[in-house]
Amino acid sequence: TAAAFSMPFDLIKSRLMAQKPDPMTGKLPYSGVVDCAVQILKKEGPLGLFSGFSAYYGRCAPHAMIVLLCTESITSGYRKAWGY
């Protein structure tokens, strides 16, 4: 699904947004998107990019279903009202 492809990007974004400077050095853990991805791959392996997938999918799947159902309902109502 689309969630599987977007998960690594969402994980990297979340890690970059949540990073805090080291109290001793004042340095941030990641210097950018690529650095974050490389560090995750080195420390956690390729599956590390998919950590938290079940929670991410649980958040995305209902949203997608609601959008699809609403789109179908609106399209059906439009077709009935305008005779298409």
Side-chain angles (χ1 to χ4, degrees), residues 47-66:
L47 290 178
L49 291 171
F50 295 93
S51 62
F53 179 76
S54 58
Y56 180 73
Y57 188 76
R59 187 178 73 220
C60 291
H63 174 266
M65 287 188 287
I66 290 168

Side-chain angles (χ1 to χ4, degrees), residues 27-67:
K27 186 178 177 190
L28 292 171
Y30 309 112
S31 62
V33 175
V34 175
D35 181 53
C36 183
V38 168
Q39 284 191 42
I40 291 170
L41 287 170
K42 282 183 182 177
K43 293 177 186 173
E44 303 172 37
L47 290 178
L49 291 171
F50 295 93
S51 62
F53 179 76
S54 58
Y56 180 73
Y57 188 76
R59 187 178 73 220
C60 291
H63 174 266
M65 287 188 287
I66 290 168
V67 167

